[in-house]
């Protein structure tokens, strides 16, 4: 192998080790590089300079962590190769090879004409294992997080990750309500065949929010793509636009969707996979294998809304596990409303009903929200004075199936 091939192989090995470079940090570096590329435009010398600076910083961080991990591995191997520690009469732990009576460790009479050395600890022969000194801790044989030197800068996260604030009260009087005031929905049934006993009695509202999820260039391309494909949007269906038996119900949901997203779906999925372990950990969900992904762009204009519901409440969509909603719009923003509300729910007679409290996420440019599919949620009515399609509230939303 050439030196470059050896280095490339070594780099690939380090990238797969979460102790060296976490998935979150890899996603951050990718975002930084894309931002740099977009900012420098058609100036390759500037792009190369920025990449060199980032590469140098990453190299130093990876080297420090790799040395720490390598040192820990060597210590563990030495411990494994030596015998189990025992305790001598003085209570000091020594390797078993030192516990017996060894002639090499017995005091020897001095040779004629040679002064006897002062009394002290027995000397060790070259290459003989050294017993640990008192107060020196032997590392435990378990993975440890990479050590950081004092003052070492900590790697930033790809954006603030937070759970929204405490539950808020229900709708205040005078707040715009969806059309058909005679229709009152207080519960959304989960129609799966799973036994009721296996479902939790309470579903508290929870979500993870990430800001600045795409680079400015990617955001601009997605917005332009969406507006250019206005003619390809169709009326939103209840359940799923791709599931058999989906129906249009304007009393429950009103908006328009686009399901053919081209490269934008692949790009979004790649970003989601990069942060997925962190998101699942913060949501308290177990990691799962993604069997399928559904994605669509949803356009909500003046008067559009979606009554509260769950995303896996029927047999056709029961395998949905995680919902994601990415917000974007044309600047300057021309709409109001369209808040995402995730409800606290309780199981009553086999169906989940809202407890009357919820978390509110106000749509923000270039922000993404993740939450479990079984949570009840709704989209409040959108107010868009111009009623132009390009001024709509847009989301690239979808579901990961297990």
């Amino acid at each position: 192998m050439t030196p470059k091939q050896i280095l490339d192989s070594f780099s690939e090995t380090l990238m797969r080790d979460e102790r060296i470079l976490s998935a979150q940090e890899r996603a951050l570096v990718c975002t930084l590089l894309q931002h740099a590329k977009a900012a420098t435009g058609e100036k390759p010398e500037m792009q190369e300079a920025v990449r060199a600076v980032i590469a140098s910083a990453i190299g130093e961080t990876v080297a420090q962590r790799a040395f720490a991990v390598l040192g820990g591995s060597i210590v563990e191997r030495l411990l494994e190769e030596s015998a189990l520690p025992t305790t001598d009469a003085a209570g000091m732990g020594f390797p078993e090879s030192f516990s017996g009576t060894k002639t090499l460790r017995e005091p020897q009479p001095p040779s004629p004409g040679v002064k006897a050395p002062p009394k002290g600890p027995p000397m060790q022969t070259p290459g003989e294992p050294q017993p640990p000194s008192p107060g020196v801790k032997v590392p435990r044989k378990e993975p440890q997080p990479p050590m950081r030197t004092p003052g070492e800068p900590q790697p930033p996260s790809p954006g603030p990750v937070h759970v929204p604030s405490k539950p808020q009260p229900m709708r205040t009087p005078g707040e715009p309500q969806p059309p058909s005031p005679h229709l009152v929905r207080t519960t959304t049934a989960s129609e799966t065949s799973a036994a009721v006993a296996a479902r939790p009695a309470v579903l508290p509202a929870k979500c993870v929010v990430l800001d600045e999820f795409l680079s400015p260039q990617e955001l601009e391309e997605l917005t332009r793509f969406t507006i250019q494909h206005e003619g390809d949007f169709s009326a939103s269906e209840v359940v799923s636009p791709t599931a058999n038996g989906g129906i249009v119900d304007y009393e429950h949901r009103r908006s328009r969707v686009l399901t053919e997203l081209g490269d934008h779906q692949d790009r979004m999925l790649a970003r989601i996979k990069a942060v997925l372990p962190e998101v699942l950990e913060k949501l308290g969900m177990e990691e799962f294998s993604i069997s399928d992904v559904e994605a669509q762009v949803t356009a909500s204009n003046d008067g559009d809304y979606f009554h509260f519901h769950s995303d896996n409440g029927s047999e056709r969509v029961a395998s949905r596990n995680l919902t994601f909603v990415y917000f974007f719009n044309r600047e300057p923003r021309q709409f109001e409303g369209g808040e995402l509300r995730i409800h606290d729910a309780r199981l009553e007679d086999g169906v989940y009903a809202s407890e009357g409290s919820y978390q509110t996420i106000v749509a923000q440019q270039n922000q993404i929200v993740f939450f479990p599919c079984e949570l009840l949620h709704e989209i409040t009515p959108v107010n868009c004075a111009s009623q132009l399609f390009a001024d709509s509230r847009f989301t690239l939303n979808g579901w990961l199936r297990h």
Side-chain angles (χ1 to χ4, degrees), residues 145-375:
M147 297 177 61
R148 298 187 185 278
T149 55
E152 179 186 355
Q154 305 298 317
S157 62
V161 181
H162 55 88
V163 176
S165 56
K166 60 184 180 181
Q168 303 179 18
M170 291 293 287
R171 302 177 191 272
T172 55
E175 181 181 358
Q177 303 295 320
S180 305
H182 63 277
L183 179 65
V184 179
R185 296 178 183 269
T186 56
T187 61
T188 298
S190 178
E191 301 167 358
T192 63
S193 58
V196 173
R199 297 157 66 195
V202 176
L203 286 178
K206 56 183 178 180
C207 66
V208 171
V209 181
L210 300 179
D211 296 321
E212 302 301 329
F213 196 65
L214 296 182
S215 70
Q217 181 178 348
E218 291 169 336
L219 170 61
E220 180 185 354
E221 291 174 357
L222 176 60
T223 305
R224 185 169 58 250
F225 170 87
T226 299
I227 295 173
Q228 289 174 348
H229 285 77
E230 176 182 0
D232 297 325
F233 278 73
S234 58
S236 299
E237 296 179 341
V238 178
V239 178
S240 167
T242 57
N244 295 329
I247 60 171
V248 175
D249 181 359
Y250 290 118
E251 291 187 329
H252 188 67
R253 179 186 189 187
R254 198 176 81 181
S255 57
R256 298 167 65 189
V257 295
L258 175 68
T259 57
E260 297 297 328
L261 309 184
D263 295 339
H264 297 285
Q265 177 169 334
D266 297 334
R267 181 180 300 162
M268 181 63 67
L269 181 58
R271 292 297 178 83
I272 288 173
K273 285 182 175 179
V275 300
L276 190 58
E278 176 192 3
V279 168
L280 294 177
E281 179 182 359
K282 289 186 175 293
L283 290 174
M285 299 174 64
E286 295 183 359
E287 293 193 24
F288 63 95
S289 299
I290 302 173
S291 65
D292 192 20
V293 179
E294 299 173 78
Q296 61 188 32
V297 169
T298 302
S300 301
N301 206 273
D302 192 54
D304 289 349
Y305 62 92
F306 199 166
H307 280 295
F308 70 88
H309 60 285
S310 66
D311 287 338
N312 60 358
S314 73
E315 291 291 349
R316 290 187 295 275
V317 292
S319 63
R320 287 177 178 172
N321 200 29
L322 186 69
T323 296
F324 61 89
V325 182
Y326 171 77
F327 301 110
F328 67 103
N329 55 265
R330 188 171 71 163
E331 298 283 9
R333 174 171 162 166
Q334 299 295 323
F335 69 89
E336 296 178 350
E339 297 174 349
L340 169 62
R341 293 178 174 174
I342 305 175
H343 288 248
D344 297 306
R346 182 177 297 275
L347 194 61
E348 295 179 1
D349 298 326
V351 297
Y352 283 111
S354 172
E355 288 195 314
S357 57
Y358 48 76
Q359 307 284 0
T360 298
I361 296 93
V362 179
Q364 299 291 336
Q365 181 79 298
N366 203 11
Q367 185 182 75
I368 192 168
V369 182
F370 297 90
F371 57 90
C373 288
E374 64 267 19
L375 293 183

Side-chain angles (χ1 to χ4, degrees), residues 67-90:
F67 285 142
V69 172
L70 183 60
S73 300
I74 291 173
V75 169
E76 289 175 6
R77 286 192 179 185
L78 289 174
L79 288 172
E80 288 172 358
E81 291 172 3
S82 65
L84 294 174
T86 59
T87 305
D88 64 1

